[in-house]
Amino acid sequence: MLSKPCLLLFACPGDGGETLVYWRGEARRARKDDPLIKLFGALDSAATYSHKAANLLPRPQARIMRLAAFAVMELGFYLATGKAEYLDTATALYKRALKLAYAAAPEEPLRSWIACASPECSAVDEARVWIRWAERRLVTLGESAGAKLLNQLSNLAFEVMRTLPHIKYRHRSVS
């Protein structure tokens, strides 16, 4: 049995370009190009790409990215419901991931740009980009607590990238 029988009728909710979205506990009808819909789409992508990266990585990096994905999902629950407990859970997940990242961090300080040199590193970079995209969408909506968490999660993903094969790039000025 299909979970969406409307597929058989060629008439599903949302076919007309509108959908229902929850924002801070309130249900709203919105066009699919509404900033809220774009935000939740970016959060969905951030979580999906974080899970994808986790599926490609060894431990502890896999665990870090999985915790980041769950943090993004919990943040989405917070934004939809307005319930602070979800933001607290998202923050706690981030802190667990941060402990793992700190233990795995390279000793040498970063003095260059990095470019990924493996599919695993590139998968983490994709997740980082989507997390940052969701952060920008959230800033547009004036949600500072969630934006701060997403900024921290994108920085965390960058730290994971540093533990994977990459190329160090530093521009040398021409005299």
Side-chain angles (χ1 to χ4, degrees):
M1 174 179 280
L2 294 173
S3 63
K4 294 190 176 200
C6 64
L7 292 169
L8 298 172
L9 303 172
F10 293 91
C12 290
D15 286 350
E18 286 194 352
T19 192
L20 186 67
V21 64
Y22 286 87
W23 179 248
R24 298 183 174 146
E26 179 187 322
R28 300 180 185 185
R29 297 239 18 110
R31 288 183 39 87
K32 290 192 176 180
D33 61 355
D34 184 279
L36 277 179
I37 303 303
K38 290 179 179 183
L39 164 67
F40 283 106
L43 287 171
D44 190 29
S45 296
T48 298
Y49 279 98
S50 295
H51 281 299
K52 175 186 174 184
N55 291 337
L56 296 172
L57 295 170
R59 284 187 172 259
Q61 295 96 331
R63 187 71 181 135
I64 295 166
M65 293 307 297
R66 188 82 62 208
L67 289 167
F70 290 138
V72 169
M73 293 167 67
E74 290 288 330
L75 177 61
F77 298 149
Y78 162 69
L79 297 169
T81 66
K83 294 182 180 178
E85 66 193 71
Y86 293 117
L87 181 59
D88 294 343
T89 301
T91 301
L93 290 165
Y94 162 71
K95 288 178 180 178
R96 285 174 52 196
L98 181 60
K99 286 180 186 177
L100 292 171
Y102 183 79
E107 291 293 322
E108 81 265 2
L110 183 64
R111 300 191 196 307
S112 63
W113 291 92
I114 68 171
C116 288
S118 71
E120 296 81 8
C121 182
S122 293
V124 174
D125 199 19
E126 285 176 320
R128 182 191 64 79
V129 167
W130 276 106
I131 293 167
R132 289 192 55 87
W133 186 246
E135 174 195 358
R136 291 178 183 115
R137 294 284 182 187
L138 207 46
V139 166
T140 299
L141 295 168
E143 170 54 54
S144 61
K148 180 179 179 181
L149 179 61
L150 289 174
N151 185 59
Q152 295 299 313
L153 287 167
S154 70
N155 289 328
L156 181 71
F158 180 80
E159 292 298 331
V160 171
M161 289 168 54
R162 290 185 59 214
T163 69
L164 300 167
H166 62 272
I167 300 163
K168 295 177 183 173
Y169 175 80
R170 192 163 93 176
H171 177 71
R172 301 195 195 292
S173 61
V174 179
S175 304

